[in-house]
Amino acid sequence: MITSLAWKNVWRNKTRSFTVIAAVTVGVFAGVFAMAAINSSIVQRIDAAVNEELSHIQVNNREFRSSSDIQNIIADPGEVVSVLEKTPGVTNFTGRIIVRGIASTAGGSAGVEITGINVDREKQMFTLSERLIPGTGSYFDSDTRLNSAFIGEKLAKELYIIRYILTPEAFRSLEEAGIPAAVTEKLRSIEGERFPTEKKLSEACAGLLTSGEMKKYSLNIREAAWSYREGSKIILSFLDVSGNQTGAAFRICGIYRTNNDFFEATSLFVPEDELRRLTGLEEGQYHRFIARLENDDLTGKATSEIREALPGLEVLNWKEIQTDLAMITDYVNQIYGIFMVLILAALSFGIVNTMLMSVLERTRELGMLSAIGMNRRRIFSMIMLESIFLSVVGGFAGMAVSGIVIGITGHTGINLVKYSEGLEAFGYSAHLYPTIGGDFFIMLTVLIVLTGIISAIYPARKALQMNPVEALRGE
Amino acid sequence: MKVVEINDVYKTYRDTEVEVRAINGVTLSFEKGDFAVIVGPSGSGKTTLLNLIGGLDQPTGGEIIVAGHHLSELRPSELIDFRMEHVGFVFQSYNLIPVLTAAENVGFIMNLQKWPKEKRKARTDELLESVGLADRHNSRPSQLSGGQQQRVAVARALAPRPEFILADEPTANLDSKSAETLLDIMEKLNQEENMTFIFSTHDARVMKRARRVITLEDGRIISDERTNHNS
Ligand SMILES: Nc1ncnc2c1ncn2[C@@H]1O[C@H](COP(=O)(O)OP(=O)(O)OP(=O)(O)O)[C@@H](O)[C@H]1O
Ligand SMILES: [Mg+2]
């Protein structure tokens, strides 16, 4: 009875209740959506780290990570294979040979980590092949496979394999993208000119266009001018097993683009057999094994099992390699919780205010209720329930709206490319796909109910201070 | 049978420099089935006396005994339960809960007393019928006239069968016709249910309907007369 009375009381002053409910709705939505958007980058970053860069677990020669001497191979690869095969949760694994070296072209050179891979197995284990930039080739297609290299866009830029030229096709694509003719006409004067970097292109364009036009179209221009000479070659040089300088020309079979600039700039992949031939490493010799698990929750357990079985080797999981990421995931829920507490604390002032008004204007009625025998506990719970209804109705509406909006944007994504340069340098995507765990909503529900309860305390006490005789006097 | 015993009761207000003796040595009792009115000039202490009898306020001296309870011995929370269980109240106005229907208002105290649903419903129907509002079950107080609201208030006070009903100037806000109807109903219920009614009034016409008239002046009883117009 108290519950239904409280519910009816909430709707006595519809405008006022609706206003505070709307405030809670908007506040909760804003909070949840912001959380989900931030969470998106973290989830994507972890996804990328596991699916494109690290895999779940790696096994190295103990010395390898610190010295990366080509001699630091895994002494007994057979043992590693048999351990990985019988560790529960491991779905796939492969060996890698890794050498540090220099990649160079006529335009420049850069230090790289050259990874010799078993192309077929890696394709099953990683999604890096899906990161191929369309039109730049393929992920080791069979015929040119042996001396092919799969490199990152960042490295390609550093080596001037990617340049910027406003070709006639580029102009056509600009027109298709709806860039006004007035703008493209101004750019005609640099048609066919080669710009080795984005910056040089931008400078040239800035000289021709107004700053407003630059702001609007520079991204389209850069995309249209992006050009890559198919089949470009790079020279890779490194030391072989006997310590002699060696190297070879590799044909670039494809260029990938990820959100991690550092990875793009330094990680270069070639087929394992070719690297063996050049370095003199023998069949079956590896520097590293990487393993994938059924799911990420198994990481800790599988790591310790493998570590125990292979005491002579270094066994690491992605959390131990990317400690920053692991830390973020560990603290992220707490941070979200604190953030929501702050939002709800702000909203609770609105609820307190509304409830106080409602209590004060019902002085006589509350006096009458007490006179006819409604005890303090019942009056207190009635006021408390009214306040909880305000916060819960608003909170659930907010969660429902967030659920819908996250559902939609989580699918379509939110494009932040215009502001993205800073983000991508750190390996975070500029496309957000908001997402948030179900347990967050459970925690939030508890917080919302608590908000209602806490907001009710002061108004409910005020209601109890009422003396029925005083309240009813002065009619 | 005595339902209320008041022995040498005093109530003094001291909140300003002057001391007001609102009730100044009253000894009085009410019998089961009384239909009594308290009259007297404004400020004579009618409201104060009713509040004391109803356990809304505590006397500064003397003793009030209702249904075996010595009211001055009850703690504030016990007083609330006492009121719920033993006293029916009808106030001058603001009697009803605006968000509840007439029927829900009538059932409210029975609800507080945790009556089973069917009994509550039967009693509500019976009383709304008695007060002539059988067709207004689902009306909100705002949809009822002042007289109809007071009738609902009487039905609510009566529903859980309290020891007695206290009504402080129940007709003060009503026109004479509605006041007449309300009194007819109170009288009828007094007879049908043998319910004790104690009310106060300024209105001479209301006064005439009572079978016992207690006159107060300056907090003292100056007369207590039983009239024998058996209707
Ligand atoms: N809370 C209070 N504080 C101080 N004095 C009070 C208080 N309540 C009542 N009084 C005083 O007690 C006296 C009796 O008041 P009471 O309200 O009982 O009179 P009443 O007979 O009901 O008058 P009315 O016919 O105007 O309703 C008055 O002098 C009044 O001013
Ligand atoms: Mg009075």
Side-chain angles (χ1 to χ4, degrees), chain B residues 205-224:
Chain B
R205 283 167 308 178
V206 175
M207 205 153 63
K208 268 187 262 154
R209 304 284 298 264
R211 290 198 306 278
R212 181 180 176 189
V213 179
I214 298 157
T215 311
L216 280 184
E217 212 175 281
D218 293 333
R220 286 177 210 272
I221 297 176
I222 57 163
S223 79
D224 183 353

Side-chain angles (χ1 to χ4, degrees), chain A residues 470 473, chain B residues 13 15 20 22 40-49 169 202:
Chain A
E470 297 295 324
R473 187 178 290 281
Chain B
Y13 291 110
D15 48 12
V20 183
S42 186
S44 58
K46 303 182 293 293
T47 299
T48 307
L49 184 60
E169 311 209 25
H202 269 118

Side-chain angles (χ1 to χ4, degrees), chain A residues 18-141:
Chain A
F18 187 76
T19 308
V20 73
I21 286 171
V24 175
T25 305
V26 172
V28 166
F29 165 69
V32 172
F33 190 68
M35 301 290 85
I38 296 168
N39 203 38
S40 153
S41 347
I42 294 165
V43 168
Q44 284 181 67
R45 179 69 201 99
I46 290 172
D47 239 49
V50 171
N51 295 324
E52 293 164 7
E53 300 162 21
L54 299 173
S55 178
H56 288 110
I57 296 177
Q58 51 173 256
V59 180
N60 297 318
N61 172 304
R62 276 206 178 282
E63 306 301 320
F64 178 73
R65 281 188 353 133
S66 48
S67 85
S68 77
D69 188 321
I70 193 167
Q71 298 287 3
N72 288 330
I73 52 171
I74 291 173
D76 188 353
E79 190 192 4
V80 177
V81 168
S82 74
V83 166
L84 291 177
E85 266 169 355
K86 64 175 199 281
T87 304
V90 173
T91 52
N92 214 336
F93 62 86
T94 186
R96 282 178 165 185
I97 51 181
I98 300 161
V99 297
R100 311 270 149 92
I102 309 277
S104 48
T105 60
S109 66
V112 290
E113 186 174 87
I114 305 156
T115 304
I117 58 172
N118 178 329
V119 172
D120 296 325
R121 284 197 94 142
E122 298 252 345
K123 214 169 173 175
Q124 291 166 24
M125 290 178 60
F126 286 104
T127 54
L128 191 63
S129 56
E130 292 162 17
R131 292 294 200 154
L132 177 81
I133 300 173
T136 60
S138 69
Y139 184 75
F140 301 106
D141 259 354

